[in-house]
Every structure is written in structure tokens, then in C-alpha cells.
Amino acid sequence: MKLFLSGFGAKSYRLLKQYGLFEHLFPLSAAAFALPPYAYAEDMLVRGLVNTDERIAADKPVTPTFLFAVLLWSALLRELNERQAGGRPRIWRCSCRLATPCCGRSSRAWRSRGASPFPCVNC
């Protein structure tokens, strides 16, 4: 998240994609970006990063929650659509399944304590 909240988020994203690192940090989002129904979400992510960079440059507040939302939007939609085929999806389960692995990759504090920021790890 520090890369995206540094004021150079859009540039950091382009470099992560260029060097093949984005798919290791956010594998579910990268996989969803490759599918036609969810490809628009990559443009949404870039716009969100540009907007965040502009807010930082203007000394306005920013929040990591917004970035997690745009980073995981396509993966959440994909998960919801896949679960819907088997019955009624529960958005909280889908979002928990997506966020738990990402937070494990992006938060050393939680990992070092052996805890998860989400109480529903076993969804």
C-alpha cells in the first residue's frame, strides 16, 4: 500500500505490471483483469490511483480503504458471479475470501502476530 499512497501510485502500478510483480501481489485482481467482463476495472484502478496521486499532491486526505476497493473490485465481481451459479451469493463471504489473502501479503503487523484483520478467516 505504501507504493500506492506515495504520490506515485499510478507510476508504481505501471512498473509493477511491467515487471510482472502485480500478479504476485494481487493475483485475484490480475486474473480478473484478463477476462473481458472485468477488464474495465483495470481502467477504474488506474483512474483511482491517478485521483489518489492528485489528492496527495494537493495535500488532501487519502485512505487505503479506497485503494483496496478499486484493487479488489474486479476480483469481487468475478467471485460473486461464480458463486451465483451455485445459489445466492453472500457478498460478505466473497469479500472476506478476497481480502484475507491480500492483507496477509500487505500487512507485516498482522502476519507477525499470527492474527488476521478479518474475523471470518474460515469463510
Side-chain angles (χ1 to χ4, degrees):
M1 292 317 290
K2 287 184 181 183
L3 288 172
F4 299 129
L5 293 171
S6 65
F8 301 97
K11 184 176 182 178
S12 297
Y13 172 71
R14 283 192 296 273
L15 290 171
L16 288 171
K17 289 277 291 183
Q18 179 181 342
Y19 291 105
L21 298 173
F22 181 78
E23 55 265 15
H24 295 288
L25 295 172
F26 296 96
L28 300 173
S29 296
F33 289 162
L35 300 173
Y38 313 108
Y40 75 92
E42 187 170 11
D43 292 332
M44 186 175 78
L45 169 62
V46 172
R47 288 180 188 178
L49 291 171
V50 168
N51 183 310
T52 300
D53 292 344
E54 290 171 356
R55 290 184 65 82
I56 291 169
D59 202 28
K60 292 181 178 179
V62 295
T63 176
T65 307
F66 171 76
L67 290 179
F68 271 119
V70 296
L71 281 165
L72 298 174
W73 180 250
S74 59
L76 176 65
L77 288 180
R78 181 180 177 195
E79 182 77 15
L80 281 170
N81 287 334
E82 288 176 0
R83 283 181 170 243
Q84 194 165 12
R88 187 174 165 189
R90 295 184 182 211
I91 194 163
W92 63 268
R93 277 204 174 147
C94 294
S95 59
C96 178
R97 287 186 56 183
L98 297 175
T100 301
C102 291
C103 287
R105 285 185 185 86
S106 62
S107 175
R108 287 182 184 225
W110 288 105
R111 199 171 8 168
S112 67
R113 291 195 312 240
S116 170
F118 296 94
C120 54
V121 172
N122 298 319
C123 291

